[in-house]
Amino acid sequence: MNLGPPLQRATLWVLAAQAGRLVTKDRLVGALWGDAAPKTAEQSVYTYVAGLRRLLEPERGRRGPFTLLTQSANGYSLARDVCRTDAEDFEQRLAEARRFQAKQDLPAWLRELEAGLGLWAGTALGGLPGPFCEAERTRLESMRQTAREDRADALLRLGRHQEALDAVAGLTAEAPLRERARELQMLALYRCGRQAEALEVFHDTRRLLTEHLGVDPGESLRRAYELILRADPSLAAAPSATTVTATGEVVRPRQLPRDPQIFVGRAETLVRLRALLSPRDGGDPQAVVAVTGTAGAGKSTLAVRAAHAVSDHYPDGQLYLNLLGATPGVGRLNPLDLLGRLLRGLGVHPEAVPSDQDEAAAMLRDRLAGRRTLIVLDDASGPEQVRPLLGLPAGNALLVTSRESFAVADDCVQLVLGRMPRSEAVTMLAKLAGAERIAADPAAAAELADLCGRLPLALRLAAARLVENRHTPLTELNARLRDERRALHELESGDLAVRASLQLSHDMLAGSGHELDRAAAAALCHLGVLRMPDAAPEVVAALLDLPRDAAERAVARLVRANLAEPGEQGRFRLHDLVRLFAMELAERRLSEHDRDDALDRVIGLYGTTVRLAMKLIDPHRVHPPHEFAACEPFALTGSADASAWLERERPNILALTAHATASRNPSIARSGAHLGFSCQWPFTFIGYRNDILPLGLQALEVGERLSDREIEALAHGYIAMGLGPAGRSEEALVHQRAEVDLRRTIGDSFARMRALGNLWVVLNALHRYEEALASAREQLHIARKIGAAVGERHALMGIGGAQLGLGSVSEARATWRELDGLAKQAGDHMHMGEALLGLAEVHLKQNDPWSAAIVYRKALTLSRERHHRVMELRCLAPLGHAERLKGAFDKAREYLLEALAVAEKYGAAYTMGFAREELALLGESAQDDPSRTVDGSAGAEGSAGAEGEEEVDAVGHG
């Protein structure tokens, strides 16, 4: 019978496994998809159930009523006797076999085992998808392996030694690390007269266990070796060699690997581990402690060191197992194998180890009751692998290391290992490569530690490079590590490599059966396209062209796998070495076209969001036209949110623009240049005018390289705007005239108008007021001709400034008033602020600092309401100047010191210089003014008639 598509068959299996019981819809969804359930999961379940009903009861039609597969409000139930699986038959045969074994009925034991194994005809569950089927497949495969070992054991007990040898040969080939199978193979070889080969099996097993697990053979296997070595007569008896341990013997295992000889740092974490595993009050230890972190963080070494440090607290022994969660080429231990190894380590005879996971877990708890035993499980693939061990009797403890997060594990304290402090990293280099060599160049040693990400594995490999090349200076190795193309290659030595360790972490995700794991692997690969300090899920959504919620889940998965480090507000970053690996990964796995497409979408994300942010802050500012790649922008809710986002994302925007403008793809380079152009107003508002110059220079290189005169013209203008605040107005004039010249031949009227407006800004700064006035009037003419209101207002600013510079104070006042009226009419707060600043200068020209101070304070209030940092700076220092002229020295000092602090934060060199000059003058004025009052203000005569705001020739800001 064709049971339909794979997920429909998996649905039937889930229901059949719990026949006669209700299976909720949520449980079905989880069983079929796990965390990666699509939005249509419930509808899909309904479709699969409908398909199964038609197969089970075809005579009922589409609407039923159905009696075999019924539905309730919460889920579905399959009648108990509808179907019977061969898996059930297999488990029943094994149960019968155990009963015959207990009765010492060896032929019946063998018969039931062979009947059960005969039911197998390929992969369990036919390779059906989904977390439930995957777990069932793992469980059944483990039971099958144990049954095969039981069959070999039964054949040996029945004296059929050659058959036993043939049976166990295939088993050891498939699972070379199963100690019970190796022990049976040794006994079979011995009884077949092949003693030397039996001993060779032991040596081979010991080598494999050491290489792959870092442990020696268990006690039972060692005892079998000793008996075979001396040809002990007991081996000829019928009972299996698995009974060699004397009954009632108390086993106190000491399985920990050797305490590491070189161990540096992690002092705080080690103290924390000791406190958890060996409480000072002698009480019970923490039940489960997990040490997690990225590849190469030193988790295993730390766990072994901690286990040795607390071993006295566990007189009943210390068990150690490598779970192979991230060991290449070797399958990870399944929970039943894990339980079996622990039980055998505690002295349980192999044939007495239950083949059922729940029974084995119960036996382990029974053996550990009343004891104090430490179990160290290294390299767990995640919480699921060790779940049967959770809930051990009080007094025992589980210490686990894993690359995966254990935050969801029950009764578990998780310690996440990050990078080492620089001092500890340098000390580790000194211990490994030689103290004198490291001390000879402390600066280079500190840089080397940073280039290694301050991770123990990378530090160990770098030290190996130094040891291999004794005459190589640290600075030379640093230079090679600074080269992104060589860094990971340098961090290799023998079988150890940072790249290989990270590759394994990636491959485990990429090869997973879970869609979420594969999405996380794809995210890591695509993140290699970028050169940004950190990122938000929106960036991953753009890279992969996914919805934000799906990208957020992929990022969370990377964080749980310790391949990404969480930050504030849902952000994350890649460790430097992980970032280099991701870059290599993107180069290998993605075509150039795919890399460019992903990068273009991220540029589109930032381009559209920067413009959205500026629209929220001030909708009157204009950006050069450019069509970015379509992408859903970051969600911004208002001007304050937009300013905070710009502040937060500024380093990423600068890095992304530099990366894009350097691209060989013309389209990417152009979009990168326009992303930089889009930042001029936003960065001005939040105070980072110094960023405009490098953005303009990058864009000019793009324009010249691509012979794109439009970008060249814009770039010259932006370079001029960046040079002005740095006090380099003569250089700025050269670039601004270049833009104007280009605009007279290629630009449209709006672009020419804008270039002329920028020209008068530079000319006014150079006090070339006649030229500035001509440029501003030409701008005004074009603005009125094309109906550009914003251009008209900007031109009036230039005219007012030039008139004031030429001494036409009354004309300047009229111009600033006209500007104020137009700005209020348009609701343009920035131009309203400019009008206030202009009128304040008029008052200063008229030797009226009292009125000027009032107007400056109005402008300051407006700038702070609009989060305009540059205008705030332009208010603070002149306000301090006006207060000094008034004689209000304390107020002046307050404003000037604030101006100096803000200017230093944003690198505003001109304002810093002006504020310092004013503070120097303020000191002299305070000493020379005998009329200064106690509160620092001027005397009554000096301020008469000036403080009433209604008398001040100023404009309000509405």
Side-chain angles (χ1 to χ4, degrees), residues 177-260:
L177 300 180
R178 290 181 70 96
E179 291 188 45
R180 185 189 177 203
R182 289 291 195 169
E183 189 174 345
L184 291 166
Q185 185 181 27
M186 289 168 61
L187 184 59
L189 284 167
Y190 180 79
R191 289 187 177 173
C192 289
R194 297 157 66 178
Q195 181 183 19
E197 292 177 60
L199 296 173
E200 184 60 34
V201 167
F202 175 80
H203 293 302
D204 184 48
T205 305
R206 182 170 60 184
R207 177 182 57 79
L208 288 172
L209 290 170
T210 302
E211 288 179 359
H212 293 290
L213 305 182
V215 299
D216 291 326
E219 184 175 352
S220 183
L221 193 61
R222 293 197 305 271
R223 182 70 64 85
Y225 169 73
E226 293 168 1
L227 292 173
I228 291 172
L229 187 64
R230 62 174 184 259
D232 194 282
S234 64
L235 295 176
S240 163
T242 56
T243 61
V244 293
T245 302
T247 303
E249 179 183 356
V250 177
V251 177
R252 293 185 175 86
R254 297 289 186 267
Q255 295 183 351
L256 294 178
R258 186 180 62 185
D259 196 6

Side-chain angles (χ1 to χ4, degrees), residues 671-707:
S671 287
H674 277 278
L675 175 58
F677 296 151
S678 299
C679 291
Q680 184 255 329
W681 282 119
F683 283 1
T684 296
F685 264 72
I686 65 172
Y688 292 99
R689 286 193 296 180
N690 289 347
D691 291 335
I692 297 171
L693 177 58
L695 292 173
L697 291 169
Q698 292 165 9
L700 182 59
E701 190 278 328
V702 171
E704 292 174 344
R705 171 159 50 97
L706 301 180
S707 299

Side-chain angles (χ1 to χ4, degrees), residues 228-459:
I228 291 172
L229 187 64
R230 62 174 184 259
D232 194 282
S234 64
L235 295 176
S240 163
T242 56
T243 61
V244 293
T245 302
T247 303
E249 179 183 356
V250 177
V251 177
R252 293 185 175 86
R254 297 289 186 267
Q255 295 183 351
L256 294 178
R258 186 180 62 185
D259 196 6
Q261 294 180 326
I262 297 179
F263 186 89
V264 176
R266 304 294 192 196
E268 290 185 12
T269 309
L270 193 56
V271 168
R272 177 80 170 128
L273 281 170
R274 294 187 68 163
L276 290 167
L277 295 171
S278 179
R280 289 192 176 186
D281 61 5
D284 290 336
Q286 173 64 37
V288 184
V289 180
V291 179
T292 65
T294 191
K299 301 179 293 293
S300 299
T301 305
L302 176 65
V304 171
R305 166 54 63 98
H308 278 284
V310 301
S311 59
D312 290 346
H313 194 80
Y314 298 93
D316 294 311
Q318 303 92 42
L319 292 157
Y320 175 88
L321 277 178
N322 186 326
L323 302 188
L324 309 172
T327 303
V330 179
R332 67 188 65 165
L333 287 184
N334 62 51
L336 188 58
D337 283 341
L338 164 61
L339 291 165
R341 287 174 183 269
L342 293 175
L343 286 169
R344 291 195 293 276
L346 291 170
V348 176
H349 293 298
E351 70 269 18
V353 174
S355 58
D356 178 79
Q357 180 176 304
D358 291 339
E359 290 181 15
M363 178 180 283
L364 180 65
R365 290 193 295 271
D366 180 65
R367 288 290 173 130
L368 292 177
R371 302 182 68 173
R372 298 180 76 86
T373 305
L374 175 65
I375 301 176
V376 180
L377 302 178
D378 191 23
D379 195 18
S381 62
E384 285 300 322
Q385 191 179 16
V386 302
R387 197 166 299 283
L389 292 183
L390 304 182
L392 296 178
N396 299 281
L398 199 61
L399 176 58
V400 188
T401 72
S402 179
R403 299 185 184 190
E404 291 284 344
S405 171
F406 264 67
V408 299
D410 296 336
D411 201 12
C412 173
V413 172
Q414 175 175 244
L415 305 181
V416 181
L417 284 192
R419 60 188 72 201
M420 302 174 75
R422 185 179 289 113
S423 59
E424 291 185 356
V426 171
T427 302
M428 183 173 181
L429 285 171
K431 287 207 172 188
L432 292 168
E436 290 184 6
R437 192 172 183 184
I438 298 302
D441 194 342
E447 183 186 15
L448 177 56
D450 288 341
L451 288 167
C452 291
R454 305 202 298 273
L455 289 179
L457 175 60
L459 291 166

